[in-house]
Amino acid sequence: ARLMLILADISQSTSDSDLTFLVPIVSGVVWNVFVRAGAFDRFVAVITRGRRTPTRCSLLLQQAKYCMGYPRFMAVGAVVLARWCSRNPLIPEGRENMALAVLILFLCEIGEDLVSFSLERLNCRVLPKQRHISEEELQMMAAAQLRVSSICEPQGAVSIVPSSSPAWSSNDSTKQIRDQCWKLRASFAFAYGEKNFETLPFWAHFAAVMTTQFHTVLFMILLGNGLNYVLGFCHDTYD
């Protein structure tokens, strides 16, 4: 999204020597390094008093950033190749800053990965410890969830005689709490487990790469004055 927004801004700019696109590039790199080092997660964990800590999904997202930031540049290269095959200028006329912005973004992506990898190897990351749920907390959460579900259940007929909820008056309440605790324990084990990430199958990498490239080309067309301008058949931007 950042790449497309920067290119869209350059395409609408009236100055050929405007270098204001460097501001979002530099600030984006600083913010991404800040997040990947765990500083943001540590800040959130402090203000929530440990209630919000990184999960396996969020940690996997940080690991995926090492390889999933580059496919968008392949999509830009495909558009440039299409312009060359149609014998149109590789760069829109008067928008040479686009090539400079893409080059700087690519170099910043490499630099960001190198800095993040170095911080990880030097154990300079400040990620908070993953959340640990005790058995007492599990039982309290299970009882609260069952209580809320029993209240939210639709009632067929309303009786004027006060009566307790069937879920809590029957002898099955202990079994319900035990089953709910098992479900919560399984969900927390999935979210906060300490097992290492396994290698993803080829289709998973292929699907993520193709989705990234599709979105890049799509937003390039939507934000870049249409398909004719992106492919070089039209040289004037829309007002």
Side-chain angles (χ1 to χ4, degrees), residues 5-213:
L5 291 176
I6 291 175
L7 294 182
D9 180 69
I10 295 176
S11 66
Q12 300 294 336
S13 177
T14 57
S15 176
D16 297 339
S17 59
D18 189 8
L19 298 179
T20 56
F21 63 86
L22 293 176
V23 176
I25 293 178
V26 175
S27 59
V29 171
V30 174
W31 171 254
N32 287 337
V33 172
F34 180 80
V35 172
R36 295 171 70 171
F40 179 74
D41 288 325
R42 172 61 65 88
F43 172 76
V44 174
V46 170
I47 63 176
T48 59
R49 303 182 65 179
R51 291 184 177 88
R52 196 281 184 188
T53 55
T55 63
R56 295 187 67 192
C57 294
S58 61
L59 295 177
L60 177 60
L61 175 62
Q62 301 302 330
Q63 293 292 331
K65 289 182 178 180
Y66 283 110
C67 58
M68 292 304 173
Y70 299 99
R72 51 182 177 168
F73 296 101
M74 299 170 59
V76 175
V79 172
V80 173
L81 180 61
R83 295 174 67 99
W84 179 77
C85 292
S86 58
R87 298 183 179 181
N88 292 320
L90 300 182
I91 304 173
E93 297 179 358
R95 297 293 182 266
E96 287 75 13
N97 282 350
M98 284 187 174
L100 180 61
V102 172
L103 177 61
I104 294 177
L105 277 168
F106 182 75
L107 296 178
C108 287
E109 188 74 26
I110 297 176
E112 177 187 323
D113 289 341
L114 291 177
V115 172
S116 300
F117 183 77
S118 301
L119 293 176
E120 184 177 356
R121 286 297 181 180
L122 296 174
N123 293 325
C124 294
R125 303 177 72 184
V126 292
L127 285 168
K129 294 183 178 179
Q130 295 183 358
R131 188 178 181 184
H132 174 72
I133 306 297
S134 63
E135 190 67 27
E136 292 76 11
E137 290 177 324
L138 275 176
Q139 293 181 1
M140 293 176 59
M141 295 172 63
Q145 289 185 2
L146 288 174
R147 188 178 298 109
V148 171
S149 63
S150 64
I151 294 175
C152 297
E153 286 181 355
Q155 302 294 332
V158 179
S159 176
I160 61 174
V161 180
S163 61
S164 57
S165 175
W168 298 99
S169 61
S170 64
N171 296 327
D172 295 337
S173 59
T174 303
K175 182 179 181 300
Q176 291 180 0
I177 293 178
R178 185 170 60 251
D179 294 342
Q180 191 67 19
C181 285
W182 181 85
K183 294 178 182 179
L184 289 174
R185 190 181 296 109
S187 62
F188 278 109
F190 173 79
Y192 301 99
E194 296 182 356
K195 294 183 179 179
N196 294 328
F197 300 115
E198 299 180 358
T199 303
L200 291 176
F202 174 77
W203 65 265
H205 291 279
F206 181 77
V209 169
M210 293 302 298
T211 302
T212 302
Q213 293 178 343

Side-chain angles (χ1 to χ4, degrees), residues 203-222:
W203 65 265
H205 291 279
F206 181 77
V209 169
M210 293 302 298
T211 302
T212 302
Q213 293 178 343
F214 171 76
H215 287 163
T216 301
V217 175
L218 176 63
F219 281 100
M220 189 180 300
I221 295 173
L222 295 178

